[in-house]
Amino acid sequence: MLKYFISSFIFFTFLLGFSQSKPIDLQPKDTVAHTDPYGIRVGIDLSRPLISFLNDDYQGLEIVGDYRVTNKLYVAAELGNEKNTKQEDLYNFTTSGSYLKLGVDYNTYGNWYGMNNSIHVGGRYAYSTFSQTLNNYQIFDTNRYWTDPDYQINPDPDAVNDFPWGSDVAQEFSGLNASWLEAVLGVKAELFANIFLGASVRIGFLVSNKEPDNFSNLWIPGFNKVTDGSKFGVGYNYSITYFLPLYKKAKKITEKEEKKPPIQEKPTAPETLNKNPFHHQFLARFCFYSTKFWRQ
């Protein structure tokens, strides 16, 4: 009976040594796949409908959208239509037309896993077609006091200015266009699931500007006010968009994560035995001679 227990003990000792032949992995790899959603984000600019509601001289609508190409890069576009009536010192005019902007946005913000917020920089190429209507104008005359007897006798105290009227017959100039480049700086934050609120500031530089022969383009849809002697313009938008996910893509591991040194831990006792080249030979010889001894 004693021989049976000793032989069983030796046999299980041998199995224990064989089962520990493989080293223990102290740095197991994460097998869970981290994915990011890719798709189309579409919405509108909130500022233009609001200004249309508050200002009777303005009507505008802009549709915004982007498509995620890589983890950081987005293809972006804006399509809009605007009609604006402006009163200057000597004339009143109305501009009406449409515009299209195409470009890219690059997200500089490092999101945690599961977040899709962005602080982005980007650029656009924009093109607008429009018409200008000169509603009325006045004539600038610095010597009108001496040349206009009616002005000397009875000047109008309620007039905005006392320049004589040139014409109140509307003149339309159609077939106008302009193109410009835009630098964009903006943010987008996810308020609810797939619903984003965004804001951006844009600085434009006029590349081309087709003007009528006897009138200047003082306001361009999508570019805003044109300043004399300058090709720069400033714009902004406040957007609300909905993200439509189309597919998911595995998130790439950064170089810092790949080069992170493994955690150094002290090996356990079974692993230390396994590194001994004579471990299995010793167990085999011990079992052989012990079995031979107890059979005698």
Side-chain angles (χ1 to χ4, degrees):
M1 190 68 177
L2 182 60
K3 293 182 178 180
Y4 172 77
F5 283 112
I6 294 176
S7 299
S8 300
F9 174 76
I10 295 172
F11 176 74
F12 285 116
T13 304
F14 176 77
L15 289 180
L16 179 63
F18 182 78
S19 63
Q20 295 292 334
S21 60
K22 293 183 179 180
I24 299 174
D25 188 4
L26 299 178
Q27 282 291 102
K29 293 183 179 180
D30 188 5
T31 57
V32 179
H34 296 276
T35 59
D36 286 330
Y38 284 69
I40 299 174
R41 187 162 39 194
V42 181
I44 63 170
D45 175 19
L46 296 175
S47 64
R48 284 167 171 79
L50 180 61
I51 297 175
S52 301
F53 177 76
L54 298 176
N55 187 358
D56 294 335
D57 293 331
Y58 176 85
Q59 295 178 2
L61 178 66
E62 181 180 272
I63 300 174
V64 301
D66 59 41
Y67 176 77
R68 189 175 189 178
V69 180
T70 66
N71 186 36
K72 296 287 188 179
L73 188 64
Y74 295 78
V75 175
E78 292 90 22
L79 176 64
N81 182 274
E82 291 182 303
K83 183 178 181 181
N84 192 22
T85 299
K86 301 283 289 183
Q87 175 64 53
E88 299 292 339
D89 292 335
L90 296 175
Y91 43 81
N92 181 283
F93 69 95
T94 301
T95 305
S96 179
S98 303
Y99 60 90
L100 175 65
K101 303 178 182 181
L102 297 173
V104 296
D105 288 332
Y106 183 81
N107 185 14
T108 62
Y109 181 73
N111 283 297
W112 292 354
Y113 179 68
M115 296 177 61
N116 294 295
N117 302 322
S118 69
I119 300 175
H120 59 269
V121 294
R124 303 284 191 277
Y125 174 78
Y127 184 80
S128 176
T129 59
F130 55 95
S131 64
Q132 300 268 20
T133 300
L134 180 61
N135 300 316
N136 57 66
Y137 66 92
Q138 294 173 275
I139 299 174
F140 179 77
D141 185 6
T142 57
N143 299 319
R144 63 191 183 283
Y145 182 86
W146 306 105
T147 58
D148 187 357
D150 294 334
Y151 178 82
Q152 300 176 28
I153 297 171
N154 187 23
D156 186 3
D158 297 327
V160 178
N161 57 56
D162 296 324
F163 295 115
W165 279 99
S167 175
D168 57 359
V169 179
Q171 303 178 47
E172 183 177 0
F173 307 97
S174 59
L176 307 176
N177 60 73
S179 63
W180 64 94
L181 299 175
E182 274 187 357
V184 182
L185 175 62
V187 297
K188 285 187 177 73
E190 189 171 12
L191 298 180
F192 308 102
N194 297 334
I195 297 178
F196 292 81
L197 185 66
S200 67
V201 178
R202 293 132 186 276
I203 299 177
F205 178 80
L206 272 176
V207 177
S208 64
N209 184 17
K210 182 181 179 181
E211 296 181 329
D213 294 335
N214 53 353
F215 193 68
S216 299
N217 293 331
L218 304 175
W219 198 87
I220 298 174
F223 184 83
N224 296 331
K225 184 177 180 179
V226 180
T227 307
D228 292 339
S230 175
K231 291 188 176 183
F232 289 95
V234 179
Y236 62 91
N237 74 350
Y238 300 96
S239 63
I240 183 167
T241 55
Y242 177 78
F243 176 68
L244 179 62
L246 299 178
Y247 61 95
K248 291 186 177 181
K249 203 172 181 181
K251 187 176 181 180
K252 294 183 178 180
I253 301 175
T254 60
E255 293 183 1
K256 292 182 179 180
E257 293 175 348
E258 291 178 350
K259 295 180 179 179
K260 186 183 292 184
I263 301 174
Q264 299 294 333
E265 295 186 9
K266 294 182 179 180
T268 59
E271 187 180 1
T272 306
L273 291 174
N274 291 336
K275 293 181 180 179
N276 190 345
F278 302 103
H279 175 62
H280 295 293
Q281 296 181 11
F282 172 77
L283 286 176
R285 291 182 180 180
F286 179 78
C287 292
F288 173 77
Y289 288 112
S290 299
T291 304
K292 184 178 179 180
F293 171 78
W294 290 106
R295 283 181 179 178
Q296 291 180 356

